Amino acid sequence: CAILNFWYFLTEEIFNKVQLLAKRNVRVNTGRIFIFSGIVKCACCGGSYGGVMGSSNHLYKYYRCTRQTAHTCCTNSKRKSEKQIESYLLENARDLMSEYVVRLEAKQKEKKQQKSNRKQIEKKIDRLKELYINDMISMDEYKHDREALEAQIIDETYQEEKKNNMDAINEFLKSDFEKIYNDLTDQEKQCLWRSVIDKIYLNEKNEITDVIFLT
């Protein structure tokens, strides 16, 4: 499911293909599929929300913090129905993704500028080394100036971020995804949301505080 992209649903041929893939992933030992299983998280403790069946006049699905139900440290006892999460995403997905794309583009621009600055500083360090080799500056001057330049270099030893999913999100923003959503099975809806969403955070007021998209 993770490799599926929103635009895959735009043609009947691909739509049918996704249906087949989803059916292959359905577990035989469960009669209910929780659309947001594995991606709903507690904003209070960081733990996962588990899917639970409830019953009023009819069966419904909801999510609650597993740490709270296990009587651990979390005080978040609220539960959120699947329909409420679904309605929130259907109403806000476009705006949330548009904002996310803007942040990603700004971040990419910043990283590009950082790389450009790093190259300039590295050239200055090379020139500084040449000055020392040619006896134009002392060892102390070389060390002092080199340390000052190296301090300006942004540390890039951290693990490189995963390739962002901006293309998939941009295609989604161009699509009429709302028109086909109600025709999808729960398994297909699960695949759809998991293709772009990493985490959905709920707080103890039963509010969705953040939606984290895949990067």
Side-chain angles (χ1 to χ4, degrees):
C1 295
I3 63 171
L4 298 178
N5 292 316
F6 278 106
W7 68 84
Y8 282 14
F9 294 93
L10 300 183
T11 67
E12 183 177 357
E13 178 183 357
I14 299 300
F15 177 75
N16 291 334
K17 186 176 181 180
V18 170
Q19 287 181 313
L20 290 174
L21 288 171
K23 288 177 182 178
R24 292 174 188 169
N25 290 326
V26 174
R27 295 179 181 177
V28 177
N29 63 345
T30 182
R32 304 283 177 181
I33 296 173
F34 289 88
I35 297 172
F36 305 106
S37 176
I39 61 175
V40 181
K41 305 292 181 180
C42 180
C44 300
C45 70
S48 296
Y49 267 58
V52 182
M53 292 303 303
S55 178
S56 179
N57 293 326
H58 59 276
L59 291 174
Y60 65 97
K61 293 180 285 185
Y62 65 89
Y63 299 80
R64 62 185 180 185
C65 179
T66 55
R67 288 184 179 177
Q68 195 280 328
T69 55
H71 304 290
T72 56
C73 58
C74 188
T75 59
N76 184 1
S77 60
K78 297 290 185 180
R79 61 187 187 183
K80 191 83 166 178
S81 76
E82 188 168 273
K83 288 295 182 184
Q84 289 176 319
I85 299 175
E86 213 172 7
S87 296
Y88 176 86
L89 290 175
L90 288 171
E91 183 178 348
N92 296 283
R94 285 186 179 276
D95 289 340
L96 291 171
M97 290 186 183
S98 295
E99 293 172 4
Y100 177 67
V101 167
V102 170
R103 292 198 301 271
L104 272 182
E105 289 174 341
K107 189 174 182 180
Q108 289 178 339
K109 185 177 180 180
E110 181 182 355
K111 288 180 71 175
K112 186 176 181 180
Q113 182 62 44
Q114 289 171 353
K115 289 181 180 179
S116 176
N117 291 341
R118 183 187 178 100
K119 289 180 180 179
Q120 293 177 6
I121 294 172
E122 287 174 341
K123 287 180 180 179
K124 289 181 180 180
I125 291 175
D126 289 339
R127 289 197 293 269
L128 187 66
K129 184 178 180 180
E130 290 177 5
L131 290 174
Y132 170 69
I133 292 173
N134 293 320
D135 293 325
M136 299 181 70
I137 59 174
S138 67
M139 171 64 78
D140 289 340
E141 288 175 314
Y142 170 68
K143 286 183 177 180
H144 178 273
D145 292 346
R146 183 185 177 97
E147 287 175 359
L149 288 171
E150 287 178 339
Q152 299 177 40
I153 297 178
I154 297 173
D155 184 11
E156 295 181 359
T157 60
Y158 58 84
Q159 186 177 3
E160 186 177 354
E161 294 179 353
K162 295 180 182 178
K163 185 179 184 299
N164 69 65
N165 204 29
M166 193 159 58
D167 288 342
I169 293 175
N170 280 327
E171 290 297 333
F172 162 74
L173 292 172
K174 297 175 186 176
S175 73
D176 292 326
F177 123 90
E178 295 92 342
K179 291 183 179 179
I180 62 139
Y181 187 81
N182 289 330
D183 294 325
L184 299 177
T185 66
D186 283 351
Q187 181 71 16
E188 291 160 352
K189 290 177 181 178
Q190 185 187 72
C191 290
L192 186 69
W193 293 121
R194 285 185 178 182
S195 70
V196 289
I197 293 178
D198 185 29
K199 296 180 182 70
I200 300 169
Y201 282 97
L202 289 169
N203 65 13
E204 56 187 346
K205 294 181 179 180
N206 215 18
E207 302 167 330
I208 294 177
T209 59
D210 202 2
V211 178
I212 309 298
F213 296 99
L214 292 170
T215 56

